[in-house]
Amino acid sequence: MTAPDNPLATPLQFLKGVGPRRAADLQKAGLTTIEDLLYRFPIRYEDRSRLQPIATLKPGQAASVTGELLNCALRPTRRPGFRIFEALVRDASGAVRVAWLNQPFLRDVLHPHQSEILFGQVEQFGQSGVQLTNPQYEILDDEEGETIHTGRIVAIYEKTGSLTPKMQRRLVHDALERLPVDLEDPLPSSVRERRQLPSRRDALERTHFPEAGASIDVLNQFRSPAQVRLIVEEFFLFQLGLLARRRDLRQERKPQPVIVDDRIRDSARRVLPFHLTGGQRQALKDIVQDMQRPEPMNRLLEGDVGSGKTIVALLAAIVAMENGLQVAFMAPTEILAEQHAANLRRLLAGSTFRLELLRGGRGRSRARSALLADIAAGQVPLVVGTHALVQESVRFASLGLVIIDEQHRFGVVQRAILRAKGLHPDVLVMTATPIPRTLALTAYGDLDVSAIREAPPGRLPIKTVAKPDSRRDEVYSFIRRELDTGHQAYIVYPLVEESAKVDLKAATEMADHLAQEIFPAYRVALLHGRMKADAKERVMQAFAAREVDVLVATTVIEVGIDVPNATVMVIEHAERFGLAQLHQLRGRVGRGGNQSACILLYQAPLSDDSRARLRVMTETTDGAVIAERDLEQRGPGDFFGTRQSGMPTLRVGNLLRDRTLMEDARREAAAWLDAADPSSTSLESLRRTWAERFGLIGVG
Ligand code: ADP
Ligand code: MG
């Protein structure tokens, strides 16, 4: 085996002390190459640089001392097999007892008269003495010159598998020694100079082995120049890839550009049941402008729940259809697809456009085959369905516009599939999840964004309260009063994957209980994800038609459901839901002109996290505020739920901690790309690096 040209690509086996077994272990921890190792950031730093005179040691502190080792001995204890390695260490001021518990191998490592640096916890010993317990040790031999574990600011790594922080520090040290001084640097020198960032080589060195005198606080905030440099490198590459891809998209040409004239404007106006809000009008303008360009649209329409995105999408669809193009309207769930189909059909009632709902499922029914044939022949201008619409082998004659609702659930992959099929339609993705700006730059960095900020007129803010389960009866009385005024209510149960069966049973039993004992005078129905598609649809339609008063549901109703007459949302076990989900669920009410309420029923006692979540919900209905809190509570990794959402896996950067660096990196990447010669080799190689590092998002 020979080491590759790129020193960072060197497998870890090349390091001292890494045999096949250790290598396999490291691999399990995700570490294969020197690069993997060096880009695994410390989790924190410890200042072990200030050596303390031994005579001044006090119990209860952590201290570094240096001195000569004396009186080493391995002592048995009363516990069988449990032994203590004891020694004295002496400096000019005095001597202190040192004890290592249960590490008998130290007998072969530590010997009298060795010079040591020790760092550890000082504990009371006997009446008035102190001892160092289980200290980190480092043998000072004159050749090494520099200590790596003690007597300095030391990086602490997360323990992974059998890899201890100390082993990792040793490996990192050896790895750094192998790196050439002129290590290749992916961060362009112009960026480095402007932001006064150290070279890659120096940054790696100083991140793992901070220089003497560095500020421990700055290091622990990950704001030393070395750390910032590595974070910016990662973010810069990431943004560069997104921006470069955006530029590529601009080179694409859609099958047929769209024109807009008075006839088309009239056609759109005819379906409008109300006046658009300012935000809706602006969004539509952005979208229609994009549609008239030769390159495909890639736009994100962001608008809080209930802000009225659907009508905007429909108007865009009409423009496409009037141009003889087909439109695919996709929703994340069957229920939502059905609801969209029903809604859109109603809105299109006065027009001549044919709309079809294409159900999922492998069913080879004759009706489905006929529908597929019609779509392929271009006879269905508007097809509504789930994401299966683009994933399966549905063929379109002239697909001009793809609308993807609730993009945070899927989208990246669908966009990729379209492109892979050689289709370049306009793409409009819609999300109700307000996305903190940093994340928007990250997950949707290659999209243009329109946002609808205001709700349609006449909406009253939803009143939200949190109540312990013990006050359930009050909640029932409240629901009855609402039902008596002709309104409807949702009662939602959590359904977590791991205990889906148990939860489903709970929801089912609860529905029976409510129907028979609590609301016997009202119509109660149950809706859950395991039901057959047509059964679900029947229930939803009955609820929409006010034939059902109380809908007991699992979280299948989370997104998109629109029944303006429903004014009560009760969320059972609210403590189990995340903020985004609670916000989505609450958004199912308050959609008409009536005062609506959201009641968060919880099981006491609450954990601190749950309490904080419920408090956010009762304090604000502003989706943007909730999104920021959600991000803070859950961290960026979980914010969107799945990797498929397009979030990159970051090695050194942290989207929460390093928000502003992401924005800086975006600006730097944009400026650099503008100045770069598109055919330059450095651009090519940066893009390759990008594809390797952020492969998944590369598909979007
Ligand atoms: P979302 O953005 O959450 O998808 P919808 O498109 O479902 O919201 O719209 C929510 C409700 O508001 C629907 O009942 C819709 O008909 C209504 N609506 C949307 N825009 C307006 C408007 N400009 N004026 C009045 N009602 C509107
Ligand atoms: Mg919607």
Side-chain angles (χ1 to χ4, degrees):
M1 187 157 64
T2 54
D5 293 343
N6 172 6
L8 286 170
T10 309
L12 289 170
Q13 275 109 296
F14 282 87
L15 296 181
K16 258 181 284 170
V18 183
R21 248 192 60 211
R22 164 90 20 107
D25 230 46
L26 290 168
Q27 183 134 37
K28 243 187 265 154
L31 307 178
T32 308
T33 63
I34 285 190
E35 175 165 344
D36 298 334
L37 183 71
L38 293 181
Y39 278 84
R40 190 169 191 256
F41 257 26
I43 46 173
R44 64 187 171 84
Y45 295 82
E46 245 172 47
D47 190 352
R48 302 178 183 172
S49 62
R50 249 161 311 181
L51 293 174
Q52 230 177 296
I54 285 173
T56 67
L57 294 182
K58 298 260 179 332
Q61 51 167 209
S64 292
V65 302
T66 184
E68 183 187 359
L69 215 56
L70 299 169
N71 303 358
C72 301
L74 189 61
R75 194 164 63 73
T77 65
R78 264 189 261 160
R79 240 166 74 206
F82 191 85
R83 287 176 293 176
I84 299 181
F85 186 77
E86 288 177 334
L88 273 184
V89 60
R90 185 177 65 192
D91 70 4
S93 73
V96 64
R97 204 181 110 91
V98 192
W100 283 276
L101 312 182
N102 217 13
Q103 301 179 50
F105 56 87
L106 289 179
R107 179 178 44 189
D108 304 321
V109 181
L110 301 178
H111 304 291
H113 309 300
Q114 273 172 350
S115 215
E116 307 278 348
I117 288 196
L118 302 174
F119 171 81
Q121 203 60 32
V122 184
E123 292 183 349
Q124 181 91 36
F125 181 70
Q127 284 296 327
S128 56
V130 292
Q131 94 171 5
L132 275 172
T133 311
N134 289 334
Q136 299 269 328
Y137 60 87
E138 203 155 352
I139 304 161
L140 292 178
D141 60 35
D142 292 336
E143 278 160 45
E144 194 145 338
E146 190 194 37
T147 62
I148 70 174
H149 306 299
T150 53
R152 61 176 306 145
I153 292 181
V154 172
I156 310 293
Y157 303 93
E158 190 173 15
K159 186 173 172 351
T160 315
S162 68
L163 183 69
T164 65
K166 188 168 177 178
M167 277 152 58
Q168 184 167 353
R169 207 175 296 122
R170 161 62 58 196
L171 290 179
V172 167
H173 188 261
D174 293 350
L176 283 168
E177 287 197 326
R178 297 180 67 105
L179 292 187
V181 189
D182 60 346
L183 179 70
E184 206 189 319
D185 194 332
L187 200 57
S189 54
S190 56
V191 177
R192 231 161 52 214
E193 278 154 28
R194 188 167 38 250
R195 306 193 66 87
Q196 300 192 319
L197 298 170
S199 74
R200 185 189 208 182
R201 174 79 175 71
D202 286 351
L204 287 168
E205 179 91 40
R206 290 301 159 219
T207 292
H208 293 285
F209 295 98
E211 70 270 42
S215 154
I216 186 86
D217 292 336
V218 171
L219 282 165
N220 277 324
Q221 288 155 14
F222 293 82
R223 280 297 169 274
S224 76
Q227 294 161 317
V228 166
R229 134 85 222 205
L230 294 176
I231 295 166
V232 168
E233 170 189 323
E234 180 169 57
F235 287 178
F236 177 85
L237 271 175
F238 179 68
Q239 290 296 343
L240 191 71
L242 288 182
L243 291 166
R245 195 169 67 206
R246 202 155 117 144
R247 209 158 82 162
D248 290 351
L249 295 179
R250 298 247 155 90
Q251 310 300 315
E252 285 176 2
R253 289 293 169 262
K254 52 194 173 200
Q256 176 199 322
V258 160
I259 55 152
V260 180
D261 55 22
D262 285 342
R263 183 184 60 82
I264 293 177
R265 276 188 209 99
D266 281 345
S267 167
R269 219 167 277 139
R270 267 198 302 277
V271 308
L272 252 187
F274 35 60
H275 290 290
L276 293 182
T277 64
Q280 286 172 317
R281 219 172 306 132
Q282 182 58 48
L284 184 64
K285 204 168 139 202
D286 294 345
I287 292 164
V288 173
Q289 256 168 21
D290 285 357
M291 291 172 73
Q292 290 170 273
R293 282 187 225 284
E295 73 271 13
M297 163 168 76
N298 271 289
R299 186 167 287 276
L300 175 72
L301 176 56
E302 189 191 316
D304 210 341
V305 282
S307 61
K309 296 181 291 294
T310 317
I311 189 74
V312 174
L314 177 64
L315 295 172
I318 287 175
V319 170
M321 294 190 291
E322 287 288 1
N323 276 269
L325 293 163
Q326 287 174 293
V327 178
F329 198 129
M330 307 195 293
T333 63
E334 289 270 337
I335 290 192
L336 210 51
E338 278 151 17
Q339 183 190 284
H340 271 318
N343 245 333
L344 297 173
R345 199 168 265 139
R346 205 165 45 236
L347 288 163
L348 286 174
S351 80
T352 55
F353 294 114
R354 177 177 166 198
L355 173 158
E356 294 291 346
L357 172 67
L358 185 73
R359 290 177 194 286
R362 312 264 158 270
R364 295 234 166 273
S365 75
R366 194 167 313 158
R368 186 179 157 86
S369 308
L371 179 52
L372 287 172
D374 282 359
I375 295 170
Q379 285 161 6
V380 186
L382 181 52
V383 187
V384 180
T386 64
H387 50 289
L389 260 191
V390 298
Q391 267 166 353
E392 282 174 13
S393 51
V394 182
R395 281 189 303 116
F396 289 83
S398 57
L399 184 61
L401 173 64
V402 172
I403 297 162
I404 306 176
D405 196 15
E406 306 299 349
Q407 136 86 16
H408 63 290
R409 299 214 145 187
F410 65 96
V412 177
V413 172
Q414 281 69 24
R415 283 190 278 149
I417 291 169
L418 285 171
R419 207 154 298 129
K421 285 184 174 178
L423 296 169
H424 304 286
D426 286 321
V427 174
L428 177 66
V429 293
M430 305 198 289
T431 179
T433 310
I435 305 154
R437 187 176 149 69
T438 338
L439 292 197
L441 282 183
T442 309
Y444 304 123
D446 59 337
L447 297 180
D448 299 307
V449 179
S450 298
I452 306 178
R453 300 260 173 247
E454 78 266 57
R459 298 283 159 83
L460 299 168
I462 302 161
K463 292 200 170 126
T464 305
V465 292
K467 281 189 192 295
D469 196 57
S470 54
R471 295 174 59 185
R472 173 177 292 279
D473 285 346
E474 291 167 35
V475 177
Y476 290 154
S477 311
F478 175 77
I479 296 176
R480 267 186 222 107
R481 284 200 299 279
E482 280 296 307
L483 299 180
D484 288 341
T485 63
H487 296 145
Q488 293 158 282
Y490 296 98
I491 302 182
V492 175
Y493 282 82
L495 193 67
V496 278
E497 215 49 68
E498 308 89 75
S499 56
K501 268 213 185 102
V502 181
D503 286 335
L504 193 55
K505 184 154 168 281
T508 313
E509 284 174 1
M510 198 61 187
D512 284 345
H513 170 69
L514 291 171
Q516 279 154 28
E517 280 144 66
I518 310 294
F519 302 114
Y522 307 88
R523 295 156 300 179
V524 178
L526 174 67
L527 181 71
H528 62 74
R530 299 277 179 88
M531 285 161 59
K532 290 236 171 61
D534 52 343
K536 277 193 249 183
E537 192 179 346
R538 270 200 307 278
V539 172
M540 260 331 289
Q541 272 169 3
F543 190 66
R546 302 195 191 184
E547 288 156 15
V548 165
D549 303 302
V550 180
L551 186 62
V552 179
T554 58
T555 41
V556 287
I557 64 154
E558 179 189 338
V559 277
I561 301 290
D562 183 38
V563 179
N565 188 53
T567 55
V568 185
M569 166 63 66
V570 176
I571 303 176
E572 297 266 359
H573 283 288
E575 76 279 359
R576 289 210 224 156
F577 290 93
L579 274 174
Q581 237 182 345
L582 290 173
H583 181 64
Q584 279 288 338
L585 286 169
R586 177 167 62 184
R588 297 309 109 215
V589 295
R591 300 173 82 85
N594 301 303
Q595 176 66 59
S596 292
C598 174
I599 301 164
L600 307 168
L601 269 178
Y602 63 87
Q603 214 77 45
L606 286 175
S607 70
D608 288 350
D609 277 356
S610 303
R611 187 184 310 277
R613 278 199 301 275
L614 297 187
R615 181 165 317 131
V616 173
M617 288 300 294
T618 53
E619 279 173 4
T620 183
T621 53
D622 183 336
V625 174
I626 291 171
E628 288 286 342
R629 293 289 164 74
D630 198 21
L631 179 60
E632 281 159 22
Q633 282 205 358
R634 280 200 288 171
D638 289 332
F639 186 82
F640 287 103
T642 60
R643 272 202 69 191
Q644 133 172 354
S645 62
M647 295 295 291
T649 42
L650 297 172
R651 296 193 295 200
V652 295
N654 173 319
L655 289 178
L656 209 51
R657 184 188 66 204
D658 307 324
R659 292 171 201 224
T660 55
L661 292 181
M662 182 63 97
E663 298 188 14
D664 293 351
R666 171 109 174 158
R667 271 194 299 278
E668 291 291 354
W672 189 82
L673 200 60
D674 277 345
D677 168 4
S679 63
S680 83
T681 50
S682 59
L683 180 57
E684 249 325 293
S685 90
L686 277 171
R687 295 181 68 154
R688 234 186 351 264
T689 315
W690 183 81
E692 281 162 19
R693 261 296 279 120
F694 302 106
L696 180 79
I697 199 166
V699 302

